[in-house]
Amino acid sequence: MDKKIEKIKGEIKCFHIKTYNDLETFRIKFISKKKGIITSLFKELKKISIYKKKIYGKIINELKKEVQNKINIFQSQNNNDKILKFDPTVPGKSIEIGGLHPLSIIKNRIIDIFMKIGFTYVYGPEIEDDWHNFTALNIPIYHPSRDMQDTFFLCKNPDILLRTHTSSVQIRYMKKHKPPFRVLSIGKVYRNETISSRSNFMFHQTEGFYIDKKVSFYDLKQTIDYLITSIFGKVKIRFRPSYFPFTEPSAEVDIYCNNGWIEIMGCGMIDPQVLKNVNINSETYSGFAFGLGIERLALIIYQIKDIRIYFNNDIRFLKQFKNEF
Ligand code: PHE
């Protein structure tokens, strides 16, 4: 035992630790739980008499302390080295700053435009029930207009679905608030459509509606005019008669752009039946509503050809919007 201890003492002293790798080899050689020489000495203690155990136990503990000291010394010196090597004059690594997604840019622009004329911004759920998405909007079951929007149903329960338009937000808001109000909402809507350069199974819609005494089609036209000129500047605008079950009369709005008319939104005067469904007196109050797709708008503004590019996460595409807010 004595000889062994002397030998180990010598080995500890002579071991040169220059790198962290050496340090690890040193630690494993002497004090690791499985392979350490000193650890195995502790195990040998079990075999000798109690008297000797006391003496050798002390000596082996001293050895262990020496090993630990050597480790501590190396670590403290090398930490100091690191601190000394730190040079505050070296320029920092630049971090690339991201930008907003083009759809977020357009969304923020629309919100800004409507905040200026006193609209309130609200959210609505993407998972809806039949009543808010269809029935309350004057679209009864078996009404052919349900086919206009191919619906994703959830949980095998035909009452629960992914909203097919943001018009459901009208119902949610009108049920809870008393007119007058001016409300804007933007969010995702879902339709079971074949994916192509022009359509996707999910897109973003903006819904706006205004209810007060004596709101007329003239107010609707002025508001749409204000929206379009705020975005495109002076362009020709055309209102085309159309049909939505929840507005009467209804219209589609086109703008004249690149030598042709492009349809950009639907709108109309809220059908009195819809007001009745949410307990608003349709004799006293009237209102208008409109809905427009954000992807479609961004296609026109940025001259993008394919709607799928918004969600490809292609950094070359997204980088182009970095400096826009
Ligand atoms: N909800 C309609 C659609 O998704 C758009 C719309 C909204 C039309 C409000 C009129 C009024 O096609």
Side-chain angles (χ1 to χ4, degrees), residues 81-123:
D81 273 5
K82 263 186 209 156
I83 294 164
L84 289 176
K85 272 180 205 150
F86 174 70
D87 178 355
T89 62
V90 173
K93 283 181 192 158
S94 66
I95 300 167
E96 216 179 324
I97 297 171
L100 287 180
H101 190 279
L103 297 179
S104 301
I105 296 171
I106 303 294
K107 174 181 161 180
N108 290 346
R109 256 216 239 173
I110 293 175
I111 294 175
D112 271 359
I113 290 168
F114 281 99
M115 293 303 111
K116 283 189 189 145
I117 53 168
F119 276 63
T120 312
Y121 189 75
V122 300
Y123 293 92

Short mmCIF file of all heavy atoms in Angstrom, two decimals, residues 81-123:
data_model
loop_
_atom_site.label_atom_id
_atom_site.label_comp_id
_atom_site.label_asym_id
_atom_site.label_seq_id
_atom_site.Cartn_x
_atom_site.Cartn_y
_atom_site.Cartn_z
N ASP A 81 -7.14 33.65 -18.29
CA ASP A 81 -6.64 33.84 -19.66
C ASP A 81 -7.74 34.34 -20.57
O ASP A 81 -7.57 35.27 -21.35
CB ASP A 81 -6.17 32.50 -20.23
CG ASP A 81 -4.73 32.25 -19.84
OD1 ASP A 81 -4.22 33.08 -19.08
OD2 ASP A 81 -4.16 31.23 -20.28
N LYS A 82 -8.90 33.70 -20.40
CA LYS A 82 -10.01 34.06 -21.28
C LYS A 82 -10.39 35.52 -21.08
O LYS A 82 -10.64 36.25 -22.02
CB LYS A 82 -11.23 33.18 -20.97
CG LYS A 82 -11.33 32.00 -21.91
CD LYS A 82 -12.60 31.25 -21.67
CE LYS A 82 -12.40 29.79 -22.03
NZ LYS A 82 -13.33 28.93 -21.36
N ILE A 83 -10.42 35.93 -19.82
CA ILE A 83 -10.79 37.32 -19.54
C ILE A 83 -9.76 38.27 -20.13
O ILE A 83 -10.10 39.27 -20.75
CB ILE A 83 -10.94 37.53 -18.01
CG1 ILE A 83 -12.13 36.72 -17.52
CG2 ILE A 83 -11.15 39.01 -17.68
CD1 ILE A 83 -12.18 36.53 -16.03
N LEU A 84 -8.48 37.89 -19.99
CA LEU A 84 -7.44 38.78 -20.52
C LEU A 84 -7.48 38.86 -22.03
O LEU A 84 -7.17 39.89 -22.62
CB LEU A 84 -6.05 38.29 -20.07
CG LEU A 84 -5.78 38.48 -18.59
CD1 LEU A 84 -4.42 37.88 -18.21
CD2 LEU A 84 -5.79 39.96 -18.22
N LYS A 85 -7.89 37.73 -22.66
CA LYS A 85 -7.90 37.72 -24.13
C LYS A 85 -9.05 38.55 -24.70
O LYS A 85 -9.08 38.84 -25.87
CB LYS A 85 -8.03 36.28 -24.62
CG LYS A 85 -6.67 35.61 -24.77
CD LYS A 85 -6.86 34.18 -25.26
CE LYS A 85 -5.67 33.33 -24.84
NZ LYS A 85 -6.04 31.94 -24.64
N PHE A 86 -10.03 38.90 -23.87
CA PHE A 86 -11.18 39.65 -24.37
C PHE A 86 -10.76 41.06 -24.78
O PHE A 86 -10.16 41.79 -24.00
CB PHE A 86 -12.25 39.73 -23.27
CG PHE A 86 -13.40 40.62 -23.65
CD1 PHE A 86 -14.29 40.23 -24.64
CD2 PHE A 86 -13.57 41.85 -23.04
CE1 PHE A 86 -15.33 41.05 -25.00
CE2 PHE A 86 -14.62 42.68 -23.41
CZ PHE A 86 -15.50 42.27 -24.38
N ASP A 87 -11.02 41.40 -26.04
CA ASP A 87 -10.62 42.71 -26.53
C ASP A 87 -11.86 43.53 -26.88
O ASP A 87 -12.55 43.28 -27.86
CB ASP A 87 -9.75 42.51 -27.79
CG ASP A 87 -9.33 43.82 -28.39
OD1 ASP A 87 -9.78 44.88 -27.89
OD2 ASP A 87 -8.55 43.80 -29.35
N PRO A 88 -12.17 44.53 -26.05
CA PRO A 88 -13.42 45.29 -26.26
C PRO A 88 -13.41 46.14 -27.52
O PRO A 88 -14.44 46.67 -27.93
CB PRO A 88 -13.51 46.16 -25.01
CG PRO A 88 -12.13 46.24 -24.49
CD PRO A 88 -11.41 45.00 -24.91
N THR A 89 -12.25 46.27 -28.19
CA THR A 89 -12.22 47.13 -29.37
C THR A 89 -12.55 46.38 -30.66
O THR A 89 -12.75 46.96 -31.70
CB THR A 89 -10.82 47.77 -29.54
OG1 THR A 89 -9.88 46.71 -29.72
CG2 THR A 89 -10.45 48.62 -28.35
N VAL A 90 -12.62 45.02 -30.57
CA VAL A 90 -12.96 44.24 -31.77
C VAL A 90 -14.43 44.50 -32.12
O VAL A 90 -15.29 44.46 -31.24
CB VAL A 90 -12.75 42.74 -31.51
CG1 VAL A 90 -13.25 41.90 -32.68
CG2 VAL A 90 -11.28 42.45 -31.23
N PRO A 91 -14.74 44.81 -33.39
CA PRO A 91 -16.15 45.06 -33.75
C PRO A 91 -17.02 43.83 -33.50
O PRO A 91 -16.55 42.70 -33.69
CB PRO A 91 -16.10 45.38 -35.25
CG PRO A 91 -14.67 45.43 -35.62
CD PRO A 91 -13.84 44.89 -34.52
N GLY A 92 -18.25 44.02 -33.08
CA GLY A 92 -19.14 42.90 -32.77
C GLY A 92 -19.61 42.19 -34.03
O GLY A 92 -19.43 42.68 -35.14
N LYS A 93 -20.15 40.98 -33.83
CA LYS A 93 -20.72 40.26 -34.98
C LYS A 93 -22.06 40.91 -35.31
O LYS A 93 -22.85 41.15 -34.40
CB LYS A 93 -20.97 38.80 -34.61
CG LYS A 93 -19.73 37.98 -34.58
CD LYS A 93 -20.07 36.54 -34.23
CE LYS A 93 -18.79 35.78 -33.92
NZ LYS A 93 -19.02 34.61 -33.11
N SER A 94 -22.29 41.17 -36.60
CA SER A 94 -23.56 41.85 -36.91
C SER A 94 -24.70 40.82 -36.93
O SER A 94 -24.53 39.70 -37.40
CB SER A 94 -23.47 42.57 -38.25
OG SER A 94 -23.32 41.61 -39.25
N ILE A 95 -25.83 41.22 -36.40
CA ILE A 95 -26.98 40.33 -36.38
C ILE A 95 -27.93 40.81 -37.47
O ILE A 95 -28.25 42.00 -37.53
CB ILE A 95 -27.70 40.42 -35.01
CG1 ILE A 95 -26.75 40.01 -33.90
CG2 ILE A 95 -28.96 39.57 -35.00
CD1 ILE A 95 -27.23 40.35 -32.52
N GLU A 96 -28.35 39.89 -38.31
CA GLU A 96 -29.25 40.31 -39.38
C GLU A 96 -30.65 40.56 -38.84
O GLU A 96 -31.20 39.71 -38.13
CB GLU A 96 -29.30 39.25 -40.47
CG GLU A 96 -29.42 39.93 -41.80
CD GLU A 96 -29.46 38.95 -42.96
OE1 GLU A 96 -28.77 37.92 -42.89
OE2 GLU A 96 -30.19 39.24 -43.91
N ILE A 97 -31.16 41.75 -39.13
CA ILE A 97 -32.48 42.08 -38.60
C ILE A 97 -33.55 41.66 -39.60
O ILE A 97 -33.42 41.93 -40.79
CB ILE A 97 -32.58 43.59 -38.33
CG1 ILE A 97 -31.56 43.96 -37.25
CG2 ILE A 97 -33.99 43.98 -37.89
CD1 ILE A 97 -31.40 45.43 -37.03
N GLY A 98 -34.55 40.97 -39.13
CA GLY A 98 -35.61 40.49 -40.02
C GLY A 98 -36.57 41.62 -40.38
O GLY A 98 -36.44 42.74 -39.91
N GLY A 99 -37.51 41.31 -41.23
CA GLY A 99 -38.51 42.31 -41.60
C GLY A 99 -39.89 41.71 -41.48
O GLY A 99 -40.04 40.54 -41.13
N LEU A 100 -40.88 42.50 -41.79
CA LEU A 100 -42.25 41.99 -41.72
C LEU A 100 -42.58 41.21 -42.99
O LEU A 100 -42.08 41.52 -44.07
CB LEU A 100 -43.23 43.14 -41.56
CG LEU A 100 -43.26 43.81 -40.18
CD1 LEU A 100 -44.28 44.94 -40.19
CD2 LEU A 100 -43.62 42.81 -39.10
N HIS A 101 -43.44 40.22 -42.85
CA HIS A 101 -43.93 39.48 -44.01
C HIS A 101 -44.82 40.41 -44.83
O HIS A 101 -45.52 41.26 -44.26
CB HIS A 101 -44.75 38.28 -43.48
CG HIS A 101 -45.11 37.30 -44.54
ND1 HIS A 101 -46.17 37.50 -45.38
CD2 HIS A 101 -44.55 36.12 -44.88
CE1 HIS A 101 -46.24 36.46 -46.22
NE2 HIS A 101 -45.26 35.62 -45.93
N PRO A 102 -44.78 40.30 -46.18
CA PRO A 102 -45.58 41.22 -47.00
C PRO A 102 -47.05 41.26 -46.58
O PRO A 102 -47.69 42.33 -46.62
CB PRO A 102 -45.42 40.70 -48.42
CG PRO A 102 -44.75 39.38 -48.31
CD PRO A 102 -44.00 39.39 -47.02
N LEU A 103 -47.60 40.12 -46.16
CA LEU A 103 -49.02 40.12 -45.78
C LEU A 103 -49.23 40.93 -44.50
O LEU A 103 -50.25 41.60 -44.33
CB LEU A 103 -49.54 38.69 -45.59
CG LEU A 103 -49.52 37.82 -46.84
CD1 LEU A 103 -50.03 36.41 -46.52
CD2 LEU A 103 -50.35 38.43 -47.96
N SER A 104 -48.23 40.88 -43.60
CA SER A 104 -48.35 41.69 -42.38
C SER A 104 -48.24 43.17 -42.71
O SER A 104 -48.90 44.00 -42.08
CB SER A 104 -47.24 41.34 -41.39
OG SER A 104 -47.31 39.98 -41.06
N ILE A 105 -47.39 43.49 -43.70
CA ILE A 105 -47.24 44.90 -44.08
C ILE A 105 -48.59 45.45 -44.58
O ILE A 105 -49.05 46.51 -44.16
CB ILE A 105 -46.16 45.06 -45.18
CG1 ILE A 105 -44.80 44.64 -44.62
CG2 ILE A 105 -46.13 46.49 -45.71
CD1 ILE A 105 -43.70 44.53 -45.66
N ILE A 106 -49.24 44.67 -45.46
CA ILE A 106 -50.52 45.12 -46.01
C ILE A 106 -51.58 45.18 -44.90
O ILE A 106 -52.36 46.14 -44.81
CB ILE A 106 -51.01 44.15 -47.12
CG1 ILE A 106 -49.97 44.02 -48.23
CG2 ILE A 106 -52.36 44.59 -47.69
CD1 ILE A 106 -49.73 45.27 -49.02
N LYS A 107 -51.55 44.17 -44.04
CA LYS A 107 -52.52 44.13 -42.94
C LYS A 107 -52.38 45.40 -42.08
O LYS A 107 -53.37 46.08 -41.79
CB LYS A 107 -52.26 42.88 -42.10
CG LYS A 107 -53.07 42.76 -40.86
CD LYS A 107 -52.71 41.50 -40.10
CE LYS A 107 -53.18 41.64 -38.67
NZ LYS A 107 -52.89 40.49 -37.85
N ASN A 108 -51.13 45.74 -41.72
CA ASN A 108 -50.92 46.93 -40.89
C ASN A 108 -51.36 48.19 -41.60
O ASN A 108 -51.89 49.11 -40.99
CB ASN A 108 -49.44 47.05 -40.51
CG ASN A 108 -49.05 45.96 -39.53
OD1 ASN A 108 -49.91 45.30 -38.96
ND2 ASN A 108 -47.76 45.75 -39.34
N ARG A 109 -51.12 48.22 -42.92
CA ARG A 109 -51.52 49.40 -43.68
C ARG A 109 -53.04 49.59 -43.61
O ARG A 109 -53.55 50.69 -43.41
CB ARG A 109 -51.14 49.22 -45.15
CG ARG A 109 -49.91 50.04 -45.50
CD ARG A 109 -50.07 50.57 -46.93
NE ARG A 109 -48.96 50.08 -47.72
CZ ARG A 109 -48.86 50.24 -49.03
NH1 ARG A 109 -49.81 50.84 -49.69
NH2 ARG A 109 -47.83 49.77 -49.68
N ILE A 110 -53.76 48.47 -43.80
CA ILE A 110 -55.23 48.55 -43.79
C ILE A 110 -55.72 48.98 -42.40
O ILE A 110 -56.62 49.82 -42.28
CB ILE A 110 -55.84 47.20 -44.21
CG1 ILE A 110 -55.51 46.94 -45.67
CG2 ILE A 110 -57.34 47.19 -44.00
CD1 ILE A 110 -55.95 45.61 -46.19
N ILE A 111 -55.10 48.42 -41.38
CA ILE A 111 -55.52 48.80 -40.02
C ILE A 111 -55.31 50.32 -39.83
O ILE A 111 -56.21 51.02 -39.37
CB ILE A 111 -54.74 48.00 -38.95
CG1 ILE A 111 -55.12 46.51 -39.04
CG2 ILE A 111 -55.02 48.52 -37.55
CD1 ILE A 111 -54.36 45.59 -38.14
N ASP A 112 -54.15 50.81 -40.24
CA ASP A 112 -53.86 52.26 -40.12
C ASP A 112 -54.94 53.09 -40.81
O ASP A 112 -55.43 54.07 -40.26
CB ASP A 112 -52.54 52.58 -40.83
CG ASP A 112 -51.37 52.44 -39.90
OD1 ASP A 112 -51.61 52.12 -38.72
OD2 ASP A 112 -50.23 52.64 -40.35
N ILE A 113 -55.27 52.67 -42.05
CA ILE A 113 -56.23 53.43 -42.86
C ILE A 113 -57.58 53.53 -42.12
O ILE A 113 -58.19 54.60 -42.06
CB ILE A 113 -56.40 52.77 -44.24
CG1 ILE A 113 -55.12 52.96 -45.07
CG2 ILE A 113 -57.60 53.31 -44.99
CD1 ILE A 113 -55.05 52.12 -46.34
N PHE A 114 -58.00 52.41 -41.52
CA PHE A 114 -59.32 52.42 -40.88
C PHE A 114 -59.32 53.01 -39.47
O PHE A 114 -60.34 53.52 -39.01
CB PHE A 114 -59.94 51.02 -40.91
CG PHE A 114 -60.53 50.72 -42.25
CD1 PHE A 114 -59.83 49.97 -43.17
CD2 PHE A 114 -61.76 51.25 -42.60
CE1 PHE A 114 -60.36 49.73 -44.44
CE2 PHE A 114 -62.29 51.01 -43.86
CZ PHE A 114 -61.59 50.25 -44.78
N MET A 115 -58.18 52.96 -38.82
CA MET A 115 -58.11 53.61 -37.50
C MET A 115 -58.31 55.11 -37.65
O MET A 115 -58.90 55.77 -36.80
CB MET A 115 -56.75 53.36 -36.81
CG MET A 115 -56.49 51.92 -36.40
SD MET A 115 -57.72 51.23 -35.31
CE MET A 115 -58.50 50.01 -36.37
N LYS A 116 -57.85 55.64 -38.79
CA LYS A 116 -57.97 57.10 -39.01
C LYS A 116 -59.41 57.55 -39.12
O LYS A 116 -59.74 58.72 -38.90
CB LYS A 116 -57.23 57.50 -40.30
CG LYS A 116 -55.75 57.55 -40.12
CD LYS A 116 -55.09 58.15 -41.35
CE LYS A 116 -53.59 57.97 -41.23
NZ LYS A 116 -52.95 57.74 -42.52
N ILE A 117 -60.31 56.62 -39.52
CA ILE A 117 -61.71 57.04 -39.63
C ILE A 117 -62.56 56.35 -38.55
O ILE A 117 -63.74 56.08 -38.72
CB ILE A 117 -62.29 56.82 -41.05
CG1 ILE A 117 -62.07 55.38 -41.52
CG2 ILE A 117 -61.71 57.80 -42.04
CD1 ILE A 117 -62.87 55.03 -42.79
N GLY A 118 -61.91 56.08 -37.43
CA GLY A 118 -62.65 55.69 -36.22
C GLY A 118 -63.13 54.25 -36.14
O GLY A 118 -64.06 53.95 -35.41
N PHE A 119 -62.50 53.35 -36.89
CA PHE A 119 -62.88 51.94 -36.77
C PHE A 119 -62.16 51.29 -35.58
O PHE A 119 -61.06 51.68 -35.23
CB PHE A 119 -62.54 51.16 -38.06
CG PHE A 119 -63.59 51.28 -39.12
CD1 PHE A 119 -63.89 52.51 -39.69
CD2 PHE A 119 -64.28 50.16 -39.57
CE1 PHE A 119 -64.87 52.63 -40.67
CE2 PHE A 119 -65.27 50.26 -40.55
CZ PHE A 119 -65.56 51.50 -41.10
N THR A 120 -62.82 50.30 -34.99
CA THR A 120 -62.22 49.55 -33.88
C THR A 120 -61.74 48.23 -34.46
O THR A 120 -62.41 47.64 -35.31
CB THR A 120 -63.32 49.19 -32.85
OG1 THR A 120 -64.06 50.35 -32.57
CG2 THR A 120 -62.74 48.60 -31.59
N TYR A 121 -60.59 47.74 -33.98
CA TYR A 121 -60.06 46.48 -34.50
C TYR A 121 -60.43 45.33 -33.56
O TYR A 121 -60.22 45.42 -32.36
CB TYR A 121 -58.54 46.57 -34.64
CG TYR A 121 -57.97 45.39 -35.36
CD1 TYR A 121 -58.12 45.27 -36.74
CD2 TYR A 121 -57.32 44.38 -34.67
CE1 TYR A 121 -57.62 44.16 -37.41
CE2 TYR A 121 -56.82 43.27 -35.34
CZ TYR A 121 -56.98 43.18 -36.71
OH TYR A 121 -56.50 42.08 -37.37
N VAL A 122 -61.01 44.26 -34.12
CA VAL A 122 -61.38 43.11 -33.27
C VAL A 122 -60.92 41.79 -33.90
O VAL A 122 -60.66 41.72 -35.10
CB VAL A 122 -62.91 43.02 -33.03
CG1 VAL A 122 -63.43 44.26 -32.34
CG2 VAL A 122 -63.66 42.75 -34.32
N TYR A 123 -60.83 40.76 -33.04
CA TYR A 123 -60.48 39.42 -33.52
C TYR A 123 -61.70 38.51 -33.43
O TYR A 123 -62.57 38.71 -32.59
CB TYR A 123 -59.40 38.79 -32.63
CG TYR A 123 -58.08 39.48 -32.72
CD1 TYR A 123 -57.75 40.51 -31.83
CD2 TYR A 123 -57.15 39.12 -33.69
CE1 TYR A 123 -56.52 41.15 -31.92
CE2 TYR A 123 -55.93 39.76 -33.78
CZ TYR A 123 -55.63 40.77 -32.88
OH TYR A 123 -54.42 41.40 -32.97
#
